Amino acid sequence: MPVHHTLRRAAVVLLLAAATLYAAPARPAVADEPGWTAEPAAGAAATTARPYFYLAGAPGTVLEDRLALANTTDRERTITLRGADAYNTADGALAVRPATPGAGAADTEGATGATGAGSWISFGAATTVKVPPRTRAVVPFTLTVPPGSPPGDHPAAVIASEGGHDVGVRIHLRVGGPTLAALTVEDVAVRGRGAAAVIAYTLVNRGNVALTPEPRIHTEALVGEVSDPPRGRTPPIELLPGRRVELTEPWPGAPALDRVRVTLTVTAPGGARATATGAHWLVPWGWVGLLGGGLLGLGATTAAALYLVRGRRPEPGPAPAPDGPPAAGPTTPAPHHELTGAAR
């Protein structure tokens, strides 16, 4: 009996454990870490790490810097390096141009898919680097500014890739010459209403240097009072030269029914400033639809009632005969005799 009791308890414990495992939610698989890093190599006199490369020179200049690759795993890493153009996406984020499909290493002009400053970057024979386990490798590269390059900022990046994992290191490149900070604001509009309302607008960098625009919004209402949206954007975007971005600012204090006038003023370091205005009706179209549907239903009901009332009226019969003797019929006129002068 004790043996049977022990086996029964073991079976119950196993069943409970199986039920617990079945009921427990599945845990997502943890993605493998890349196992290596890429960053600007620190100089001999540097005390802090650099978050990006900063290079400056006149057209025709050859600039040099170094990229540090650190392998933190116990196996060798094979990392491919290339240059890339940086740009703004439609919503203001920074991105880099992808490599040309099937191009492989950036050993020929245009193989990286870059046509701007990214194509000016060269790693020489070190396009593909093998980094031993637990080792840090420093890879030099050059950036050759072509003669006749326009002055201003030319955004680029160094891209390190291995096994489908990419790490980008930003390059701030400024070509010597006159600089211009200029921007415009376009297409100011209000979307949504109430707490879900946003103010949408488009910014265009018309100059040749990168800008960090700061928007200020002032609103006016035709009937009621409104509060301005929160000031500024956190974090601010970096608008690259020649780029156009479409942005929105939340406006939780927007009225539900009113005509509003929105004035957007954008400033940026370097003296760039632009202003644009837009006027819009904020109408709760859901209420308008309900009201229109109610009026339409009321009109249909009224028309139906009038039709029924008219349908129940008696049709008119023949008119009754009047009292008294019947009226004499029409008399036949006496015959007319022609006068001829003859005796009768």
Side-chain angles (χ1 to χ4, degrees), residues 16-64:
L16 290 176
T20 303
L21 291 175
Y22 181 80
R27 296 181 179 179
V30 178
D32 294 335
E33 295 294 333
W36 55 272
T37 61
E39 61 185 4
T47 57
T48 59
R50 294 184 293 168
Y52 52 80
F53 296 104
Y54 181 81
L55 301 174
T61 304
V62 178
L63 306 172
E64 299 180 352

Side-chain angles (χ1 to χ4, degrees), residues 238-298:
E238 181 180 357
L239 184 57
L240 302 178
R243 302 304 302 180
R244 170 189 296 267
V245 297
E246 298 176 0
L247 306 176
T248 58
E249 302 290 341
W251 189 16
L257 176 61
D258 210 329
R259 179 175 171 82
V260 295
R261 180 182 178 88
V262 178
T263 301
L264 178 65
T265 302
V266 182
T267 58
R273 179 185 176 90
T275 301
T277 301
H280 306 273
W281 278 102
L282 297 180
V283 179
W285 294 110
W287 297 355
V288 173
L290 291 175
L291 179 60
L295 293 177
L296 183 61
L298 179 61

